[in-house]
Coordinates of all heavy atoms in Angstrom, one line a residue:
M1 N 43.5 157.1 -37.7 CA 42.5 156.3 -38.5 C 42.3 154.9 -37.8 O 43.3 154.4 -37.3 CB 43.0 156.1 -39.9 CG 42.1 155.2 -40.7 SD 42.6 155.1 -42.6 CE 43.9 154.1 -42.4
I2 N 41.1 154.5 -37.7 CA 40.8 153.3 -37.2 C 40.5 152.2 -38.2 O 39.7 152.5 -39.1 CB 39.5 153.3 -36.2 CG1 39.9 154.3 -35.0 CG2 39.1 152.0 -35.6 CD1 38.7 154.6 -34.2
T3 N 41.1 151.0 -38.2 CA 40.8 150.0 -39.0 C 40.1 148.9 -38.2 O 40.5 148.4 -37.2 CB 42.0 149.4 -39.7 OG1 42.6 150.4 -40.4 CG2 41.7 148.2 -40.5
L4 N 39.0 148.4 -38.7 CA 38.2 147.3 -38.0 C 38.3 146.2 -38.9 O 38.1 146.2 -40.2 CB 36.8 147.7 -37.8 CG 36.5 148.9 -36.8 CD1 35.0 149.2 -36.7 CD2 37.1 148.6 -35.5
V5 N 38.5 144.9 -38.4 CA 38.6 143.7 -39.2 C 37.3 143.0 -39.1 O 37.0 142.3 -38.1 CB 39.8 142.8 -38.7 CG1 39.9 141.5 -39.6 CG2 41.1 143.6 -38.8
C6 N 36.5 143.2 -40.0 CA 35.1 142.6 -40.0 C 35.3 141.1 -40.3 O 36.1 140.7 -41.2 CB 34.3 143.2 -41.2 SG 32.6 142.3 -41.3
P7 N 34.6 140.3 -39.4 CA 34.8 138.8 -39.6 C 34.3 138.3 -41.0 O 34.7 137.2 -41.5 CB 33.9 138.2 -38.5 CG 33.6 139.3 -37.6 CD 33.8 140.6 -38.3
H8 N 33.5 139.0 -41.7 CA 33.0 138.6 -43.0 C 33.7 139.3 -44.1 O 33.8 138.8 -45.2 CB 31.4 139.0 -43.1 CG 30.6 138.4 -41.9 ND1 30.3 137.1 -41.9 CD2 30.2 138.9 -40.8 CE1 29.7 136.8 -40.8 NE2 29.5 137.9 -40.1
C9 N 34.1 140.6 -44.0 CA 34.6 141.3 -45.1 C 36.1 141.6 -45.0 O 36.7 142.1 -46.0 CB 33.9 142.7 -45.2 SG 32.1 142.6 -45.1
G10 N 36.7 141.4 -43.9 CA 38.2 141.7 -43.7 C 38.4 143.1 -43.2 O 37.5 143.7 -42.8
P11 N 39.7 143.5 -43.3 CA 40.1 144.8 -42.8 C 39.4 145.9 -43.6 O 39.5 145.9 -44.8 CB 41.6 144.9 -42.9 CG 42.0 143.4 -43.1 CD 40.9 142.8 -43.8
R12 N 38.8 146.9 -42.9 CA 38.1 148.0 -43.5 C 38.3 149.3 -42.7 O 38.4 149.2 -41.5 CB 36.6 147.8 -43.7 CG 36.2 146.6 -44.5 CD 36.5 146.9 -46.0 NE 35.9 146.0 -46.9 CZ 36.4 144.8 -47.3 NH1 37.7 144.5 -46.8 NH2 35.9 144.0 -48.1
D13 N 38.3 150.4 -43.4 CA 38.4 151.7 -42.7 C 37.1 151.9 -41.9 O 36.0 151.5 -42.3 CB 38.6 152.8 -43.7 CG 38.9 154.1 -43.0 OD1 37.9 154.8 -42.7 OD2 40.0 154.4 -42.9
A14 N 37.3 152.6 -40.8 CA 36.1 152.8 -39.9 C 35.0 153.7 -40.5 O 33.9 153.7 -40.0 CB 36.6 153.5 -38.5
T15 N 35.3 154.4 -41.6 CA 34.3 155.2 -42.3 C 33.2 154.3 -42.9 O 32.2 154.8 -43.2 CB 34.9 156.1 -43.3 OG1 35.6 155.2 -44.3 CG2 35.8 157.1 -42.7
E16 N 33.5 153.0 -43.1 CA 32.5 152.1 -43.6 C 31.5 151.6 -42.6 O 30.4 151.1 -42.8 CB 33.1 150.8 -44.1 CG 33.9 151.0 -45.5 CD 34.1 149.6 -46.0 OE1 33.6 148.6 -45.6 OE2 35.0 149.6 -47.0
F17 N 31.7 152.0 -41.2 CA 31.0 151.5 -40.2 C 30.2 152.6 -39.5 O 30.6 153.8 -39.6 CB 31.9 150.8 -39.1 CG 32.6 149.6 -39.6 CD1 33.8 149.8 -40.4 CD2 32.2 148.4 -39.3 CE1 34.5 148.7 -40.8 CE2 32.9 147.3 -39.8 CZ 34.0 147.4 -40.5
A18 N 29.1 152.3 -38.9 CA 28.3 153.3 -38.0 C 28.6 152.8 -36.5 O 28.4 151.7 -36.2 CB 26.9 153.2 -38.4
Y19 N 29.0 153.8 -35.8 CA 29.2 153.6 -34.3 C 27.8 153.6 -33.7 O 27.0 154.6 -33.8 CB 30.0 154.7 -33.7 CG 30.2 154.6 -32.2 CD1 30.9 153.6 -31.6 CD2 29.5 155.5 -31.4 CE1 31.0 153.5 -30.2 CE2 29.5 155.4 -30.0 CZ 30.3 154.4 -29.4 OH 30.4 154.4 -28.0
I20 N 27.4 152.6 -33.1 CA 26.0 152.5 -32.5 C 26.1 152.9 -31.0 O 25.3 153.7 -30.5 CB 25.5 151.1 -32.5 CG1 25.4 150.6 -34.0 CG2 24.1 151.0 -31.9 CD1 24.7 151.4 -34.9
G21 N 27.1 152.5 -30.2 CA 27.2 152.9 -28.9 C 27.9 151.8 -28.1 O 28.3 150.9 -28.5
E22 N 27.9 152.2 -26.7 CA 28.4 151.3 -25.7 C 27.6 150.1 -25.6 O 26.3 150.1 -25.7 CB 28.4 152.1 -24.4 CG 29.6 151.9 -23.5 CD 29.5 152.8 -22.3 OE1 28.9 152.3 -21.4 OE2 30.0 153.9 -22.3
R23 N 28.2 148.9 -25.5 CA 27.4 147.7 -25.3 C 27.1 147.5 -23.8 O 27.9 147.4 -22.9 CB 28.2 146.5 -25.8 CG 28.4 146.5 -27.3 CD 29.1 145.2 -27.7 NE 28.0 144.1 -27.7 CZ 28.2 142.9 -27.3 NH1 29.4 142.5 -26.8 NH2 27.2 142.0 -27.3
T24 N 25.8 147.5 -23.5 CA 25.3 147.3 -22.2 C 24.2 146.2 -22.2 O 23.5 146.1 -23.2 CB 24.7 148.6 -21.6 OG1 23.6 149.1 -22.5 CG2 25.8 149.6 -21.4
A25 N 24.0 145.5 -21.1 CA 23.0 144.5 -21.0 C 21.6 145.1 -20.9 O 21.4 146.0 -20.2 CB 23.3 143.6 -19.8
R26 N 20.7 144.7 -21.8 CA 19.4 145.2 -21.8 C 18.6 144.6 -20.6 O 18.6 143.4 -20.4 CB 18.7 144.7 -23.1 CG 17.2 145.2 -23.3 CD 16.6 144.6 -24.5 NE 15.2 144.9 -24.6 CZ 14.7 145.9 -25.3 NH1 15.5 146.6 -26.0 NH2 13.4 146.1 -25.3
P27 N 18.0 145.4 -19.8 CA 17.3 144.9 -18.6 C 16.1 144.2 -19.1 O 15.5 144.5 -20.1 CB 17.0 146.2 -17.8 CG 17.4 147.3 -18.5 CD 18.1 146.9 -19.8
D28 N 15.5 143.3 -18.2 CA 14.3 142.6 -18.4 C 13.1 143.6 -18.3 O 12.9 144.2 -17.2 CB 14.1 141.5 -17.4 CG 12.8 140.7 -17.6 OD1 12.0 141.1 -18.5 OD2 12.7 139.7 -16.9
P29 N 12.3 143.8 -19.3 CA 11.2 144.9 -19.3 C 10.2 144.5 -18.3 O 9.4 145.4 -17.8 CB 10.7 144.9 -20.7 CG 11.1 143.7 -21.4 CD 12.4 143.2 -20.6
N30 N 10.0 143.3 -17.8 CA 9.1 142.9 -16.8 C 9.5 143.1 -15.3 O 8.8 142.9 -14.5 CB 8.7 141.4 -17.0 CG 8.1 141.2 -18.4 OD1 7.2 142.0 -18.8 ND2 8.5 140.1 -19.1
D31 N 10.8 143.4 -15.3 CA 11.4 143.5 -13.9 C 12.3 144.7 -13.7 O 13.4 144.5 -13.2 CB 12.1 142.2 -13.6 CG 12.5 142.1 -12.1 OD1 11.9 142.8 -11.3 OD2 13.4 141.2 -11.8
T32 N 11.9 145.8 -14.3 CA 12.9 146.9 -14.4 C 12.2 148.2 -13.9 O 11.0 148.5 -14.4 CB 13.4 147.1 -15.8 OG1 14.0 145.9 -16.3 CG2 14.4 148.2 -15.9
T33 N 12.8 149.0 -13.2 CA 12.2 150.3 -12.7 C 12.5 151.4 -13.8 O 13.4 151.2 -14.7 CB 12.9 150.8 -11.5 OG1 14.3 151.0 -11.8 CG2 12.8 149.7 -10.3
P34 N 11.7 152.4 -13.8 CA 12.0 153.5 -14.7 C 13.4 154.1 -14.7 O 13.9 154.5 -15.7 CB 10.9 154.6 -14.4 CG 9.8 153.8 -13.8 CD 10.5 152.7 -13.0
Q35 N 13.9 154.1 -13.5 CA 15.3 154.6 -13.3 C 16.3 153.7 -14.0 O 17.2 154.2 -14.6 CB 15.6 154.8 -11.9 CG 14.9 155.9 -11.1 CD 13.4 155.5 -10.8 OE1 13.1 154.3 -10.7 NE2 12.6 156.6 -10.6
E36 N 16.0 152.4 -13.9 CA 16.9 151.5 -14.6 C 16.8 151.6 -16.1 O 17.8 151.5 -16.8 CB 16.7 150.0 -14.1 CG 17.1 149.7 -12.7 CD 16.6 148.4 -12.2 OE1 15.5 147.9 -12.6 OE2 17.2 147.8 -11.4
W37 N 15.6 151.7 -16.6 CA 15.4 152.0 -18.1 C 16.1 153.2 -18.5 O 16.8 153.3 -19.6 CB 14.0 152.1 -18.5 CG 13.4 150.7 -18.8 CD1 12.4 150.1 -18.1 CD2 13.7 149.9 -19.9 NE1 12.1 148.9 -18.7 CE2 12.9 148.8 -19.8 CE3 14.6 150.0 -21.0 CZ2 13.0 147.7 -20.7 CZ3 14.7 148.9 -21.8 CH2 13.9 147.9 -21.7
R38 N 16.0 154.3 -17.7 CA 16.7 155.6 -18.0 C 18.2 155.4 -18.1 O 18.9 155.8 -19.0 CB 16.3 156.6 -17.0 CG 17.0 158.0 -17.2 CD 16.6 159.0 -16.1 NE 17.3 160.2 -16.2 CZ 18.5 160.4 -15.5 NH1 18.8 159.5 -14.6 NH2 19.1 161.5 -15.6
G39 N 18.7 154.6 -17.2 CA 20.1 154.4 -17.2 C 20.6 153.5 -18.4 O 21.6 153.9 -19.1
Y40 N 19.8 152.5 -18.8 CA 20.1 151.7 -20.0 C 20.0 152.6 -21.2 O 20.9 152.4 -22.1 CB 19.1 150.6 -20.0 CG 19.2 149.8 -21.3 CD1 20.3 149.0 -21.6 CD2 18.1 149.9 -22.3 CE1 20.3 148.3 -22.8 CE2 18.2 149.2 -23.5 CZ 19.3 148.4 -23.7 OH 19.4 147.7 -24.9
L41 N 19.1 153.4 -21.4 CA 18.8 154.2 -22.6 C 19.7 155.4 -22.7 O 20.1 155.7 -23.9 CB 17.3 154.7 -22.7 CG 16.3 153.5 -22.9 CD1 14.9 154.1 -22.8 CD2 16.6 152.8 -24.2
Y42 N 20.0 156.1 -21.7 CA 20.6 157.4 -21.8 C 22.0 157.6 -21.1 O 22.7 158.5 -21.5 CB 19.6 158.5 -21.3 CG 18.3 158.5 -22.0 CD1 17.1 158.1 -21.4 CD2 18.3 158.8 -23.4 CE1 15.9 158.1 -22.0 CE2 17.1 158.7 -24.0 CZ 15.9 158.4 -23.4 OH 14.7 158.4 -24.1
L43 N 22.2 156.8 -20.1 CA 23.4 157.2 -19.2 C 24.6 156.3 -19.7 O 24.4 155.1 -19.7 CB 23.1 157.0 -17.8 CG 22.0 157.8 -17.2 CD1 21.8 157.6 -15.8 CD2 22.3 159.3 -17.4
R44 N 25.7 156.9 -20.0 CA 26.9 156.2 -20.3 C 28.0 156.8 -19.5 O 28.1 158.0 -19.2 CB 27.3 156.4 -21.8 CG 26.1 155.8 -22.7 CD 26.1 154.3 -22.6 NE 25.0 153.7 -23.4 CZ 23.8 153.4 -23.0 NH1 23.5 153.6 -21.8 NH2 23.0 152.9 -23.8
S45 N 29.0 155.9 -19.2 CA 30.1 156.3 -18.4 C 31.3 157.0 -19.2 O 31.9 157.8 -18.7 CB 30.7 155.2 -17.5 OG 31.0 154.1 -18.4
N46 N 31.4 156.5 -20.4 CA 32.4 157.0 -21.3 C 33.9 157.2 -20.7 O 34.5 158.2 -20.8 CB 32.0 158.4 -21.9 CG 32.8 158.8 -23.1 OD1 33.3 157.9 -23.8 ND2 32.9 160.1 -23.3
P47 N 34.3 156.1 -20.1 CA 35.7 156.1 -19.5 C 36.7 156.1 -20.5 O 36.6 155.6 -21.6 CB 35.7 154.9 -18.6 CG 34.8 153.9 -19.4 CD 33.7 154.8 -20.0
A48 N 37.9 156.7 -20.2 CA 39.1 156.5 -20.9 C 39.6 155.1 -20.8 O 39.3 154.4 -19.8 CB 40.2 157.4 -20.5
G49 N 40.1 154.5 -21.8 CA 40.6 153.1 -21.7 C 39.8 152.2 -22.6 O 39.1 152.6 -23.5
W50 N 39.8 150.9 -22.3 CA 39.1 149.9 -23.1 C 37.6 150.0 -22.9 O 37.2 150.1 -21.7 CB 39.7 148.5 -22.7 CG 41.1 148.2 -23.2 CD1 42.2 148.3 -22.4 CD2 41.5 148.0 -24.5 NE1 43.3 148.1 -23.2 CE2 42.9 147.9 -24.5 CE3 40.8 147.9 -25.7 CZ2 43.6 147.7 -25.6 CZ3 41.6 147.6 -26.8 CH2 43.0 147.5 -26.8
A51 N 36.9 149.8 -23.9 CA 35.5 149.8 -23.9 C 34.9 148.8 -24.8 O 35.4 148.5 -25.9 CB 34.9 151.2 -24.2
D52 N 33.7 148.2 -24.5 CA 33.0 147.4 -25.4 C 32.0 148.2 -26.1 O 31.1 148.8 -25.5 CB 32.3 146.2 -24.6 CG 33.3 145.3 -23.9 OD1 34.3 145.0 -24.6 OD2 33.2 145.0 -22.7
E53 N 32.0 148.1 -27.5 CA 31.2 149.0 -28.3 C 30.5 148.1 -29.3 O 30.8 147.0 -29.6 CB 32.0 150.0 -29.0 CG 32.8 150.9 -28.1 CD 33.8 151.8 -28.8 OE1 34.2 151.5 -29.9 OE2 34.1 152.8 -28.2
L54 N 29.4 148.7 -29.8 CA 28.6 148.1 -30.9 C 28.7 148.9 -32.2 O 28.5 150.1 -32.2 CB 27.1 147.9 -30.5 CG 26.2 147.1 -31.4 CD1 26.7 145.7 -31.5 CD2 24.8 147.2 -31.0
W55 N 29.1 148.3 -33.3 CA 29.3 148.9 -34.6 C 28.4 148.3 -35.5 O 28.2 147.0 -35.5 CB 30.8 149.0 -35.0 CG 31.7 149.8 -34.2 CD1 32.0 149.6 -32.8 CD2 32.3 151.0 -34.6 NE1 32.9 150.6 -32.5 CE2 33.1 151.5 -33.6 CE3 32.4 151.7 -35.8 CZ2 33.9 152.6 -33.6 CZ3 33.2 152.9 -35.9 CH2 34.0 153.3 -34.8
L56 N 28.0 148.9 -36.6 CA 27.3 148.3 -37.7 C 28.1 148.5 -39.0 O 28.5 149.6 -39.4 CB 25.9 149.1 -37.9 CG 25.1 148.7 -39.2 CD1 24.7 147.2 -39.1 CD2 24.0 149.6 -39.4
H57 N 28.4 147.4 -39.7 CA 29.1 147.5 -41.0 C 28.1 147.8 -42.1 O 27.7 147.1 -42.9 CB 29.8 146.2 -41.3 CG 30.9 146.4 -42.3 ND1 31.6 145.3 -42.8 CD2 31.3 147.5 -43.0 CE1 32.5 145.8 -43.7 NE2 32.3 147.1 -43.9
R58 N 27.8 149.2 -42.1 CA 26.7 149.6 -43.0 C 27.1 149.7 -44.5 O 26.3 149.5 -45.3 CB 26.2 151.0 -42.6 CG 27.3 152.1 -42.7 CD 26.9 153.4 -42.1 NE 28.0 154.2 -41.9 CZ 28.3 155.3 -42.5 NH1 27.4 155.8 -43.3 NH2 29.4 155.9 -42.3
A59 N 28.4 149.8 -44.8 CA 28.8 149.8 -46.2 C 29.4 148.5 -46.6 O 30.1 148.4 -47.6 CB 29.9 150.9 -46.4
G60 N 29.1 147.4 -45.8 CA 29.6 146.1 -46.1 C 28.6 145.1 -45.9 O 27.5 145.2 -46.6
C61 N 28.7 144.2 -45.0 CA 27.9 143.0 -44.8 C 26.5 143.4 -44.1 O 25.7 142.6 -44.1 CB 28.6 142.0 -44.1 SG 29.2 142.4 -42.5
G62 N 26.5 144.5 -43.4 CA 25.3 144.9 -42.8 C 25.1 144.3 -41.4 O 24.1 144.3 -40.8
R63 N 26.2 143.6 -40.9 CA 26.1 142.9 -39.7 C 26.5 143.9 -38.5 O 27.3 144.7 -38.7 CB 27.0 141.7 -39.6 CG 26.7 140.7 -40.8 CD 25.5 140.0 -40.6 NE 25.7 139.0 -39.5 CZ 24.8 138.1 -39.1 NH1 23.7 138.0 -39.8 NH2 25.0 137.3 -38.2
Y64 N 25.9 143.6 -37.4 CA 26.4 144.2 -36.1 C 27.6 143.5 -35.5 O 27.7 142.3 -35.5 CB 25.2 144.2 -35.1 CG 24.2 145.2 -35.4 CD1 23.1 144.8 -36.2 CD2 24.3 146.6 -35.0 CE1 22.1 145.8 -36.5 CE2 23.3 147.5 -35.3 CZ 22.2 147.1 -36.0 OH 21.2 148.0 -36.3
L65 N 28.6 144.3 -35.1 CA 29.8 143.8 -34.6 C 30.1 144.3 -33.1 O 30.0 145.5 -32.9 CB 31.0 144.2 -35.5 CG 30.8 143.8 -37.0 CD1 31.9 144.5 -37.8 CD2 30.8 142.4 -37.2
A66 N 30.5 143.4 -32.3 CA 31.0 143.8 -30.9 C 32.5 144.1 -31.2 O 33.2 143.3 -31.6 CB 30.8 142.6 -30.0
V67 N 32.8 145.3 -30.7 CA 34.2 145.7 -30.8 C 34.7 146.1 -29.5 O 34.1 146.9 -28.7 CB 34.3 147.0 -31.8 CG1 35.7 147.5 -31.9 CG2 33.8 146.6 -33.2
R68 N 35.9 145.6 -29.2 CA 36.6 146.1 -28.0 C 37.7 147.1 -28.4 O 38.6 146.7 -29.1 CB 37.2 144.9 -27.2 CG 37.8 145.3 -25.9 CD 38.1 144.0 -25.0 NE 39.1 144.2 -24.1 CZ 38.9 145.0 -22.9 NH1 37.8 145.5 -22.6 NH2 39.9 145.1 -22.1
R69 N 37.5 148.4 -28.0 CA 38.4 149.4 -28.5 C 38.9 150.3 -27.4 O 38.2 150.5 -26.4 CB 37.6 150.2 -29.5 CG 38.4 151.3 -30.2 CD 37.6 152.0 -31.3 NE 36.6 152.8 -30.7 CZ 36.6 154.1 -30.3 NH1 37.8 154.7 -30.5 NH2 35.6 154.7 -29.8
H70 N 40.1 150.7 -27.5 CA 40.7 151.6 -26.5 C 40.3 153.0 -26.9 O 40.7 153.5 -28.0 CB 42.2 151.4 -26.5 CG 42.8 152.1 -25.2 ND1 43.0 153.4 -25.1 CD2 43.2 151.5 -24.1 CE1 43.6 153.6 -23.9 NE2 43.8 152.5 -23.3
R71 N 39.6 153.8 -26.1 CA 39.1 155.1 -26.4 C 40.2 156.2 -26.5 O 39.9 157.2 -27.1 CB 38.0 155.5 -25.4 CG 36.8 154.6 -25.7 CD 35.7 155.1 -24.8 NE 34.4 154.5 -25.1 CZ 33.4 154.3 -24.3 NH1 33.6 154.7 -23.0 NH2 32.4 153.8 -24.7
T72 N 41.3 155.9 -25.9 CA 42.3 156.9 -26.0 C 43.3 156.7 -27.2 O 43.6 157.7 -28.0 CB 43.2 156.9 -24.7 OG1 42.3 157.0 -23.6 CG2 44.2 158.0 -24.6
T73 N 43.7 155.5 -27.4 CA 44.6 155.2 -28.5 C 44.0 154.8 -29.8 O 44.5 154.9 -30.9 CB 45.6 154.1 -28.1 OG1 44.8 152.9 -27.9 CG2 46.3 154.4 -26.8
G74 N 42.6 154.3 -29.7 CA 42.0 153.8 -30.9 C 42.4 152.4 -31.3 O 41.9 151.8 -32.3
A75 N 43.2 151.7 -30.5 CA 43.6 150.4 -30.7 C 42.3 149.5 -30.6 O 41.5 149.7 -29.8 CB 44.7 149.9 -29.7
V76 N 42.3 148.4 -31.4 CA 41.2 147.5 -31.4 C 41.7 146.1 -31.0 O 42.7 145.6 -31.5 CB 40.5 147.5 -32.8 CG1 39.4 146.4 -32.8 CG2 40.0 148.8 -33.2
D77 N 41.1 145.6 -30.0 CA 41.5 144.3 -29.4 C 40.7 143.1 -30.0 O 41.2 142.1 -30.2 CB 41.3 144.4 -27.9 CG 41.9 143.2 -27.2 OD1 42.9 142.7 -27.7 OD2 41.4 142.9 -26.2
E78 N 39.4 143.4 -30.3 CA 38.6 142.2 -30.7 C 37.4 142.8 -31.5 O 36.9 143.9 -31.3 CB 38.0 141.5 -29.4 CG 37.1 140.4 -29.8 CD 36.4 139.9 -28.5 OE1 36.5 140.4 -27.4 OE2 35.9 138.7 -28.7
V79 N 37.1 142.1 -32.5 CA 35.9 142.3 -33.4 C 35.2 141.0 -33.6 O 35.8 140.1 -34.1 CB 36.2 143.0 -34.8 CG1 34.9 143.2 -35.5 CG2 37.0 144.3 -34.6
R80 N 33.9 140.9 -33.2 CA 33.2 139.7 -33.5 C 31.7 140.0 -33.9 O 31.1 140.9 -33.5 CB 33.3 138.7 -32.3 CG 32.7 139.2 -31.0 CD 32.9 138.2 -29.9 NE 32.5 138.8 -28.6 CZ 31.3 138.8 -28.2 NH1 30.2 138.3 -29.0 NH2 30.9 139.4 -27.1
D81 N 31.2 139.1 -34.7 CA 29.8 139.2 -35.1 C 28.8 139.0 -34.0 O 29.0 138.0 -33.2 CB 29.6 138.2 -36.2 CG 28.3 138.4 -37.0 OD1 27.3 138.9 -36.3 OD2 28.2 138.1 -38.2
V82 N 27.8 139.8 -33.8 CA 26.8 139.5 -32.9 C 25.4 139.5 -33.5 O 24.4 139.5 -32.9 CB 26.7 140.7 -31.7 CG1 28.0 140.6 -30.9 CG2 26.5 142.0 -32.3
G83 N 25.4 139.3 -34.9 CA 24.1 139.1 -35.5 C 23.5 140.3 -36.2 O 24.0 141.4 -36.1
A84 N 22.4 140.0 -36.8 CA 21.7 141.1 -37.5 C 21.0 142.0 -36.6 O 20.8 143.2 -37.0 CB 20.7 140.5 -38.4
G85 N 20.7 141.6 -35.4 CA 19.9 142.5 -34.4 C 20.8 143.3 -33.6 O 20.4 144.4 -33.1
G86 N 22.0 142.9 -33.3 CA 22.9 143.6 -32.5 C 22.8 143.6 -31.0 O 23.4 144.2 -30.3
E87 N 21.9 142.7 -30.5 CA 21.8 142.5 -29.1 C 23.0 141.8 -28.5 O 23.6 140.9 -29.2 CB 20.5 141.7 -28.8 CG 19.2 142.5 -29.0 CD 19.1 143.7 -28.0 OE1 19.5 143.5 -26.8 OE2 18.6 144.7 -28.4
P88 N 23.4 142.2 -27.3 CA 24.6 141.6 -26.7 C 24.4 140.1 -26.4 O 23.3 139.6 -26.3 CB 24.8 142.3 -25.4 CG 24.0 143.6 -25.5 CD 22.9 143.3 -26.5
Ligands
ZN1 ZN1 31.4 143.3 -43.0

């Protein structure tokens, strides 16, 4: 079981959250090739170990949270608010 500590709501079970995906930098649409867009939208490395992820507290405050989580152990190192839009 994964527990995330929401900065607004406190410790909550991960079932209250929606996993959005890996946090990656959005490329500039005015200066990006179709291959770079494809990589941003669809390609993920999914490595074992620590990863930066985006979660939505859908059953709580409704805020997007940046989560640093270990994909093998489920340990959570950091949870912080990134706003209502969820952009990095
Ligand atoms: Zn919350």
